[in-house]
């Protein structure tokens, strides 16, 4: 583990800074998000055989057919959540390897994250421990239902594509809160949903590609 965290070359701070420069060129403006992405080692979240590709701008395979999102989309979705104002309590649906969770842990006071695949959640838990992240609560379950006992959330992020907006999650948003999610089956788009006192405002953003949101647990 030590060698992974303190590796040189492809896993160094300079490699991460090059990634951040690229994200800036791709349009990410939020320097707080960029600063966090420069500080979190992405390579420890992927298979050792893929660690040398951890800072390229692509998604990479995790176990059980899942993927770690590309750095651009992690930055973009984080930026979208932050433009809503204070992030006290945030919910992520689709923990995967825990990379996006870790980025969120540096942007919010408290992060809850749900994953339906138990072995993936175990891995995420190991990674968070390795990085000594203490403000994240992980839950094994179906993200469609959210975490009513911890609601309301200032922000909710889905990192798997839904076919429709899960109603339970809308109800767990605080007034003034926002949700970012990929929606669609063959053609997916990122959507931003803002909750106001008198209802929800939905905004369709750019095309994206995510693994599907699946019901039940595994
Ligand atoms: N945020 C992750 C992305 C993982 S890919 C990262 O940074 O690595 C999306 C994840 O969503 C997968 O791990 C998949 O198992 C999970 N997922 C799919 N449907 C889900 C559901 N209904 N509830 C919780 N997690 C779900």
């Amino acid at each position: 583990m030590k060698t992974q965290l303190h590796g040189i070359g492809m896993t160094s701070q300079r490699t991460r800074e090059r990634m951040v420069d690229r994200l800036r060129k791709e349009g990410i403006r939020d320097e707080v998000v960029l600063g966090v992405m420069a500080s979190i080692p992405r390579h420890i979240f992927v298979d050792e055989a893929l660690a040398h590709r951890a800072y390229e701008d692509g998604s990479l395979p995790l176990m059980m057919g899942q993927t770690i999102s590309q750095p651009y989309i992690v930055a973009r979705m984080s930026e979208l959540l932050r433009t809503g104002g204070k992030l006290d309590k945030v919910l992520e649906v689709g923990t995967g390897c825990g990379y996006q969770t870790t980025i969120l842990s540096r942007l919010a006071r408290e992060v809850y994250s749900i994953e339906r695949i138990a072995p993936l959640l175990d891995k995420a838990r190991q990674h968070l421990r390795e990085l000594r992240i203490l403000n994240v609560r992980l839950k094994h379950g179906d993200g469609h239902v959210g975490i009513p006992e911890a609601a309301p959330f200032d922000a909710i992020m889905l990192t798997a594509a839904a076919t429709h907006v899960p109603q339970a999650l809308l109800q767990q948003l605080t007034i003034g809160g926002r949700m970012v999610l990929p929606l669609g089956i063959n053609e997916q788009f990122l959507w931003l949903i803002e909750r106001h006192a008198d209802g929800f405002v939905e905004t369709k953003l750019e095309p994206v590609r995510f693994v599907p949101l699946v019901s039940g647990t595994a």
Side-chain angles (χ1 to χ4, degrees):
M1 256 173 213
K2 227 181 180 151
T3 47
Q4 274 204 337
L5 271 177
H6 299 112
I8 48 159
M10 297 311 285
T11 56
S12 73
Q13 183 65 35
R14 267 180 48 212
T15 314
R16 268 199 298 285
E17 268 154 22
R18 273 202 296 278
M19 173 184 83
V20 163
D21 283 344
R22 203 175 54 228
L23 293 174
R24 219 176 255 122
K25 285 196 194 98
E26 288 170 340
I28 305 297
R29 292 278 166 269
D30 187 332
E31 287 297 326
V32 173
V33 169
L34 292 168
V36 169
M37 293 197 55
S39 75
I40 302 294
R42 190 168 188 267
H43 61 280
I44 70 158
F45 292 89
V46 298
D47 218 63
E48 244 175 286
L50 294 171
H52 66 288
R53 292 176 53 196
Y55 301 101
E56 292 172 8
D57 200 25
S59 57
L60 290 170
L62 300 172
M63 57 160 88
M64 316 209 31
Q66 304 307 316
T67 52
I68 176 172
S69 303
Q70 65 185 109
Y72 172 78
I73 203 74
V74 170
R76 175 80 175 118
M77 289 172 88
S78 303
E79 182 174 74
L80 282 165
L81 287 197
R82 263 177 52 82
T83 47
K86 84 165 168 58
L87 292 179
D88 202 23
K89 216 191 295 175
V90 171
L91 172 66
E92 176 193 30
V93 173
T95 317
C97 63
Y99 177 68
Q100 172 78 71
T101 323
T102 300
I103 300 296
L104 288 173
S105 78
R106 297 288 161 86
L107 301 173
R109 190 179 63 82
E110 202 177 10
V111 178
Y112 289 77
S113 185
I114 316 180
E115 170 59 53
R116 63 179 290 276
I117 301 179
L120 263 175
L121 197 67
D122 290 343
K123 282 251 165 158
R125 191 164 271 126
Q126 279 171 28
H127 296 143
L128 294 173
R129 196 174 302 135
E130 192 179 341
L131 295 174
R132 297 188 173 77
I133 309 275
L134 300 173
N135 61 335
V136 170
R137 272 152 234 241
L138 298 180
K139 181 174 172 163
H140 180 225
D142 183 343
H144 282 101
V145 296
I147 309 185
E149 63 275 22
F153 299 99
D154 298 309
I156 300 178
M157 181 191 288
L158 273 73
T159 67
T163 52
H164 59 275
V165 184
Q167 292 304 303
L169 296 182
L170 287 179
Q171 297 315 317
Q172 289 171 34
L173 264 185
T174 191
I175 307 290
R178 47 176 48 200
M179 172 148 80
V180 177
L181 77 165
L183 263 183
I185 304 172
N186 297 323
E187 255 203 316
Q188 300 172 6
F189 284 86
L190 202 60
W191 284 78
L192 172 68
I193 301 179
E194 293 159 287
R195 181 171 198 176
H196 298 292
D198 55 354
F200 296 90
V201 176
E202 306 184 344
T203 312
K204 186 179 181 181
L205 305 167
E206 65 255 39
V208 286
R209 260 194 99 73
F210 280 83
V211 295
L213 191 72
V214 176
S215 291
T217 55

